[in-house]
Amino acid sequence: MPRTSMTFGKSLLVIDTGTPEHDGTTIVERKGLGHPDTLADHLAERLSRAYSRYTVQHFGAVLHHNFDKLALLGGASEVRYGGGKMTAPVRVLVNGRAAPACGGERIPVLEIVEAEVREFFAERIPEVCDHLDISFNITSNSSPGAVLTGDAVPDRTRWFNPRSIDDLRERRVRFSNDTSLGTGWAPENPFESFVRELVDRLSGPSDFRRAHVWCGSDVKLMGYWDGESADIVLCVPQKSRHVGSRAEYLCNTESILAECHRLAGIRLPGAEARFRLNARDIPEKDELYLTYTGSSIESGDEGVVGRGNRVNGLITPLRPMNLEGANGKNPVYHVGKLYNIAAQRLAHRLHEATDGHAEVHLVSTTGQRLDQPWRILVRLSSRDVEIDKVQALVAEALDGFPALTDELVSDGIVLS
């Protein structure tokens, strides 16, 4: 396996060529829009973007913040055929930090957060809108490193209490906030793409869900693919007020399975696809995946940022991946967000340029320039590679962080 190593600014760039391609065996998981972990991820990211847009509009810059430790604690519900109700609220634990003011002008952090939380659930799980308990644990404490040496105020203490945006050192040079890793790979195989599409059809806006109002959004899929056949375990809830009996529930499950086989026939032509739906159901005891809201968040399940889909929307343990929770992180200099997005995009560009499999790993060192990772590892299955072209694509990706921040703040990127 040929290897080329070189200094790249203050980074070490390693390019491996002729690396083994993915052998086709695939284990892949995807959590749908109503899964508690997806809800936590998407809500955290929504809070970051709302706060960012407010500070850009009022002060001209994204002020320091992070909401990537948000958690959701499930409520309680009663479910009956044809009806149901919430009996205890869903708790939203908004953990994080945010600058509460800039230059003496107050930022309505709690008001922004509460409005976004309520609007989010109105869109995703409207049945819990009147059953939310929002707990705020948002501080403006500085990170370690502010050593007091007399009367001088360390600059670090102003990170979350800036006198003006001139106190934001990232307006001069962007430094990595952490020692971390961003990983990307391309291309997806047909089975991975099929999993994404099927879960989206069953959990998000789609013709299927518009025609089947009983279909809930807390969908979860685990699939195994050997290159010729697929085994899939799938959980799809139904909304109790639209399901009048056990017989209706069972009839609805047949509609879900029919849709699964229909899409598999299109996306995996010639392959055998086996589906197991709602494996815990015991119909004769009326133990069914029947919910009031369409999500297990109603009945004790929890959601935590970082436990859901990766930046590319999939959980793929046989592919390179890391466990960073990108959602809710600051879009200006948090490498756990920016490096994962940049690595994924760069991998796609390299795949297109080399017509082979591509992996990208960006490793940061805290305090080093964001556009100069400590290590850059590029792995390409193609042997005939133009190293200069790879270098140019890497340079383009590293130069793109300011534009990537703007894209995130303006909702131009959808995570997981």
Side-chain angles (χ1 to χ4, degrees):
M1 182 175 66
R3 165 167 289 187
T4 302
S5 299
M6 66 198 77
T7 56
F8 199 75
K10 292 188 177 180
S11 304
L12 175 64
L13 171 61
V14 176
I15 303 172
D16 291 339
T17 57
T19 60
E21 292 213 32
H22 184 63
D23 67 3
T25 303
T26 299
I27 297 175
V28 59
E29 180 181 3
R30 178 161 170 78
K31 298 177 179 180
L33 289 181
H35 189 285
D37 290 331
T38 307
L39 292 172
D41 277 340
H42 289 186
L43 178 55
E45 184 63 13
R46 181 169 178 145
L47 297 183
S48 171
R49 296 187 188 194
Y51 178 86
S52 297
R53 286 194 294 270
Y54 182 94
T55 62
V56 168
Q57 180 181 354
H58 287 80
F59 306 105
V62 176
L63 298 188
H64 291 179
H65 71 278
N66 60 273
F67 296 105
D68 57 322
K69 303 300 188 295
L70 181 144
L72 305 176
L73 303 184
S77 64
E78 291 180 357
V79 176
R80 296 180 175 84
Y81 291 118
K85 64 180 180 179
M86 295 291 298
T87 59
V90 172
R91 294 186 62 198
V92 182
L93 306 182
V94 185
N95 304 308
R97 291 185 294 176
C102 182
E105 182 178 340
R106 176 181 173 270
I107 300 170
V109 178
L110 299 188
E111 292 91 332
I112 292 171
V113 168
E114 181 169 0
E116 292 295 329
V117 169
R118 295 193 181 281
E119 186 175 343
F120 175 81
F121 278 99
E123 295 171 2
R124 288 289 182 88
I125 313 286
E127 294 86 353
V128 306
C129 284
D130 295 329
H131 305 277
L132 291 172
D133 179 1
I134 306 173
S135 298
F136 301 100
N137 183 33
I138 303 172
T139 74
S140 57
N141 302 329
S142 65
S143 300
V147 179
L148 301 176
T149 57
D151 295 332
V153 177
D155 288 343
R156 191 176 294 256
T157 63
R158 297 194 176 100
W159 282 10
F160 286 87
N161 291 280
R163 296 164 298 184
S164 73
I165 60 174
D166 292 333
D167 278 340
L168 307 178
R169 69 174 187 174
E170 64 269 19
R171 289 179 58 79
R172 299 181 291 276
V173 179
R174 299 190 184 200
F175 294 99
S176 299
N177 77 304
D178 196 5
T179 299
S180 190
L181 169 69
T183 295
W185 54 269
E188 290 179 357
N189 64 34
F191 182 66
E192 290 159 337
S193 299
F194 164 74
V195 166
R196 181 197 308 279
E197 184 176 357
L198 179 58
V199 172
D200 288 350
R201 282 189 62 78
L202 295 176
S203 74
S206 68
D207 293 341
F208 181 85
R209 293 193 75 231
R210 282 188 286 272
H212 302 89
V213 295
W214 45 260
C215 187
S217 60
D218 188 358
V219 175
K220 181 178 177 180
L221 185 155
M222 179 71 75
Y224 181 91
W225 169 256
D226 63 9
E228 297 180 354
S229 63
D231 277 305
I232 294 166
V233 178
L234 185 65
C235 295
V236 182
Q238 297 180 30
K239 292 188 175 185
S240 58
R241 66 185 182 280
H242 300 296
V243 181
S245 66
R246 179 198 302 174
E248 282 188 31
Y249 176 93
L250 295 175
C251 181
N252 293 341
T253 63
E254 293 303 315
S255 296
I256 296 169
L257 288 170
E259 177 66 7
C260 292
H261 285 288
R262 184 196 70 82
L263 191 62
I266 297 171
R267 301 303 182 210
L268 304 171
E272 180 184 4
R274 297 176 292 274
F275 294 90
R276 186 179 181 190
L277 176 63
N278 296 349
R280 290 177 58 181
D281 282 1
I282 307 176
E284 62 272 19
K285 294 184 177 181
D286 289 307
E287 293 183 13
L288 309 169
Y289 196 10
L290 191 64
T291 64
Y292 172 61
T293 66
S295 172
S296 61
I297 196 67
E298 74 180 40
S299 54
D301 204 356
E302 295 90 15
V304 180
V305 173
R307 288 177 51 89
N309 307 314
R310 303 297 92 200
V311 164
N312 68 351
L314 302 173
I315 302 169
T316 51
L318 301 187
R319 299 281 202 172
M321 59 181 285
N322 64 58
L323 300 180
E324 277 285 358
N327 291 276
K329 283 181 162 52
N330 188 300
V332 179
Y333 54 85
H334 275 207
V335 292
K337 171 179 282 183
L338 296 168
Y339 275 17
N340 276 290
I341 298 171
Q344 188 64 30
R345 289 185 166 188
L346 178 55
H348 278 282
R349 294 291 306 279
L350 290 167
H351 158 63
E352 293 169 353
T354 65
D355 196 29
H357 183 265
E359 292 178 14
V360 176
H361 306 271
L362 305 177
V363 188
S364 67
T365 295
T366 184
Q368 187 162 315
R369 284 178 60 120
L370 184 68
D371 59 357
Q372 296 179 359
W374 174 55
R375 292 289 188 274
I376 306 167
L377 173 60
V378 173
R379 308 186 76 210
L380 305 169
S381 63
S382 300
R383 291 184 176 276
D384 185 16
V385 173
E386 298 179 42
I387 297 298
D388 290 347
K389 190 169 186 178
V390 174
Q391 288 179 291
L393 289 173
V394 171
E396 181 181 332
L398 298 180
D399 288 340
F401 287 118
L404 186 54
T405 296
D406 294 340
E407 201 174 347
L408 283 161
V409 173
S410 65
D411 286 337
I413 298 176
V414 177
L415 296 181
S416 70

